[in-house]
């Protein structure tokens, strides 16, 4: 959870946020959108942007002293669903191919469950690599929002 307190009013913070998105989209450093008080932003690159890139999603809420930005850093919902489906498929693949190999017996069929386990390990490694690779994005986005909206 990323929390940024600001002395700005919600309207001022939203105005600054819109200005930040507009200027950053021209320089290709930040991509995102705002819908009411909710937002989602991610670090952008000129080339190589990916749907798999995590985003900072949250909202701007009113407080007595101004406003607070509360957000979470993580994968989009569509990516989470795709990864869950991947692991379900791999699990079913491994179980089914293991049962087939157990009942038929030839040694070459044992490659199917081994391939399933290998694909599952590749999925786990991908998730762990993404978490460590994109950790700097979380810090950069939090710092950028803090400087712009910290008021």
């Amino acid at each position: 959870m990323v929390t940024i307190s600001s002395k700005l009013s919600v309207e001022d913070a939203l105005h600054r946020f819109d200005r930040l998105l507009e200027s950053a989209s021209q320089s290709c450093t930040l991509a995102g959108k705002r819908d009411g008080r909710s937002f989602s932003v991610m670090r952008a690159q000129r080339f190589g942007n990916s749907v798999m890139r995590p985003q900072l999603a949250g909202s701007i809420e009113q407080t007595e002293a101004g406003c607070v930005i509360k957000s979470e850093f993580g994968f989009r919902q569509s990516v989470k669903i795709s990864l869950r489906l991947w692991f379900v498929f791999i699990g079913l693949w491994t179980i089914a191919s293991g049962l087939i190999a157990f009942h038929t017996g030839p040694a070459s069929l044992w490659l199917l469950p081994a391939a399933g386990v290998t694909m599952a390990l590749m999925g786990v490694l991908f998730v762990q690599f993404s978490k460590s690779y994109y950790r700097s994005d979380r810090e950069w986005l939090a710092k950028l929002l803090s400087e712009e909206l910290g008021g």
Side-chain angles (χ1 to χ4, degrees):
M1 172 69 97
V2 176
T3 305
I4 302 168
S5 297
S6 176
K7 295 178 184 175
L8 298 171
S9 68
V10 171
E11 292 77 24
D12 289 340
L14 292 173
H15 178 70
R16 282 192 183 188
F17 188 82
D18 289 338
R19 193 176 65 214
L20 174 67
L21 283 178
E22 185 178 316
S23 66
S25 67
Q26 293 171 355
S27 65
C28 297
T29 57
L30 183 72
K33 63 180 181 174
R34 180 180 71 86
D35 184 27
R37 291 185 179 185
S38 299
F39 66 88
S40 63
V41 293
M42 64 185 233
R43 192 175 202 169
Q45 302 172 11
R46 290 196 188 278
F47 303 104
N49 283 327
S50 170
V51 174
M52 302 296 277
R53 192 174 201 108
Q55 66 181 359
L56 190 68
S59 63
I60 301 174
E61 301 170 9
Q62 184 72 43
T63 62
E64 291 179 15
C67 68
V68 65
I69 296 115
K70 293 182 179 179
S71 56
E72 291 283 337
F73 185 74
F75 292 116
R76 294 180 182 153
Q77 192 63 27
S78 61
V79 174
K80 289 178 183 179
I81 291 170
S82 298
L83 286 172
R84 283 187 194 116
L85 290 174
W86 169 262
F87 284 110
V88 167
F89 168 73
I90 295 306
L92 292 174
W93 168 283
T94 304
I95 291 169
S97 60
L99 290 173
I100 291 169
F102 181 73
H103 289 294
T104 57
S108 62
L109 285 178
W110 285 103
L111 292 175
L112 294 174
V117 170
T118 303
M119 287 190 283
L121 289 174
M122 287 176 58
V124 169
L125 288 174
F126 169 77
V127 170
Q128 293 303 317
F129 172 75
S130 294
K131 284 182 179 179
S132 64
Y133 181 73
Y134 291 124
R135 187 170 292 125
S136 64
D137 284 4
R138 177 188 182 275
E139 294 163 3
W140 181 79
L141 286 167
K143 181 180 176 187
L144 182 69
L145 288 176
S146 180
E147 290 174 355
E148 184 67 28
L149 305 175

